[in-house]
Amino acid sequence: MTWNLHGDPMMWVAGIRALYLQALHPRAVRGVLQNSDFRRDAWGRLLRTAGFVGTTTYGTSEAAEKAGARVRKIHSMLSATDPETGESYRIDTPELLLWVHCAEIDSYLHVLRRSGFPLTDAQADRYVAEHRVSARLVGLDPATVPADRAELAAYFDKVRPELAAGADARDVDDFLLRPPTHPLLVPAREVLWRRVAQLAYASLPPYAHELYGRPAPAPATVTRRLRATGALLRCVPARLRWQLPPKHILRAMARLGPRTRPAPHRIG
């Protein structure tokens, strides 16, 4: 399931939705902002995250294990401080790793299905279960990670009272709407990027809109826009899309043969 889903262009919209959702966990987003150059090198961070997902999806087992080891090593050296209490805490605690993982997997699955990617409920459950492997790579015990959509929904119900849109979340929100860019590219940012970010935000669950305090269009309108965007992006030839660095999919196909080409019809 993962091999075929992650080759879809709507993964970029899903990735932005994941950032919006992840920012609603105060301890998790604080860990990111206190330990990274997110504001100065946000594009680099996004590309590194995409590279990790691409490696764990399409790379060799050895490459995936090495990528996971690098992430675990970096996380093991980082901590964050609660500005109100002065409490210091590690950012590789299972609680925070699980939140980041679940927000990502929920966003990938939600956006792709809602935008028209054909997937049965059983296949969606299998996708969630497959990502117990990626959870292990970042340091989680797979037995503690949701294995299907029902367990994923139960997890969000449980963690919901801990979520809030504090100052850090609003910094992420502001960045996603107006990321720094070259002055000549500002018009393109307003026309293209802002629309993508707004669509990703609109696809969040209702409680996220309530926390951020910014309304979203009616669900039917959001679904229609997601399907229209998905249909448009899927018109771009896959091999052209996959030429973008670091070309994980093309390298995987060269290694394993053209029959491994990711495509929705191969899921069945």
Side-chain angles (χ1 to χ4, degrees), residues 110 114-115 199 202-204 206 209 216-228:
H110 179 88
R114 199 171 174 186
S115 66
L199 181 59
S203 69
L204 288 166
H209 299 146
T221 300
V222 177
T223 299
R224 186 166 60 250
R225 291 177 181 175
L226 284 167
R227 294 183 72 89

Side-chain angles (χ1 to χ4, degrees), residues 98 102 106 146-161:
L98 185 60
C102 289
D106 179 76
D148 56 32
R149 290 172 302 120
E151 291 184 9
L152 191 60
Y155 167 78
F156 282 111
D157 287 340
K158 178 182 178 181
V159 79
R160 168 68 181 85

Side-chain angles (χ1 to χ4, degrees), residues 32-63:
V32 171
L33 296 185
Q34 290 185 7
N35 286 284
S36 73
D37 51 0
F38 181 84
R39 295 177 181 89
R40 295 192 306 273
D41 185 33
W43 296 114
R45 180 177 175 83
L46 291 174
L47 289 175
R48 287 191 293 274
T49 299
F52 178 78
V53 174
T55 298
T56 55
T57 302
Y58 299 108
T60 63
S61 296
E62 180 183 7

Side-chain angles (χ1 to χ4, degrees), residues 78-135:
L78 302 178
S79 63
T81 302
D82 187 322
E84 295 183 1
T85 66
E87 175 197 3
S88 179
Y89 57 91
R90 294 169 60 101
I91 70 168
D92 63 351
T93 61
E95 168 200 359
L96 301 185
L97 294 177
L98 185 60
W99 167 252
V100 171
H101 171 84
C102 289
E104 284 184 0
I105 301 311
D106 179 76
S107 293
Y108 298 159
L109 185 59
H110 179 88
V111 168
L112 264 65
R113 294 192 85 187
R114 199 171 174 186
S115 66
F117 193 99
L119 210 62
T120 67
D121 288 345
Q123 291 167 340
D125 284 340
R126 179 177 169 186
Y127 173 78
V128 176
E130 286 180 355
H131 279 277
R132 283 181 153 186
V133 175
S134 63

Side-chain angles (χ1 to χ4, degrees), residues 145-251:
V145 178
D148 56 32
R149 290 172 302 120
E151 291 184 9
L152 191 60
Y155 167 78
F156 282 111
D157 287 340
K158 178 182 178 181
V159 79
R160 168 68 181 85
E162 303 174 27
L163 306 182
D168 290 334
R170 298 193 182 282
D171 279 350
V172 173
D173 181 24
D174 183 66
F175 165 79
L176 289 174
L177 288 175
R178 288 173 291 272
T181 189
H182 190 281
L184 294 178
L185 297 178
V186 169
R189 181 189 67 184
E190 295 303 307
V191 173
L192 299 175
W193 175 265
R194 193 175 181 88
R195 291 185 179 181
V196 172
Q198 288 174 337
L199 181 59
Y201 174 85
S203 69
L204 288 166
Y207 69 77
H209 299 146
E210 294 175 8
L211 290 173
Y212 275 113
R214 194 166 74 250
T221 300
V222 177
T223 299
R224 186 166 60 250
R225 291 177 181 175
L226 284 167
R227 294 183 72 89
T229 303
L232 178 63
L233 292 179
R234 290 166 189 142
C235 286
V236 179
R239 277 195 169 272
L240 179 60
R241 290 189 274 107
W242 296 340
Q243 289 291 337
L244 293 174
K247 303 183 180 181
H248 289 294
I249 295 176
L250 293 180
R251 292 208 305 271

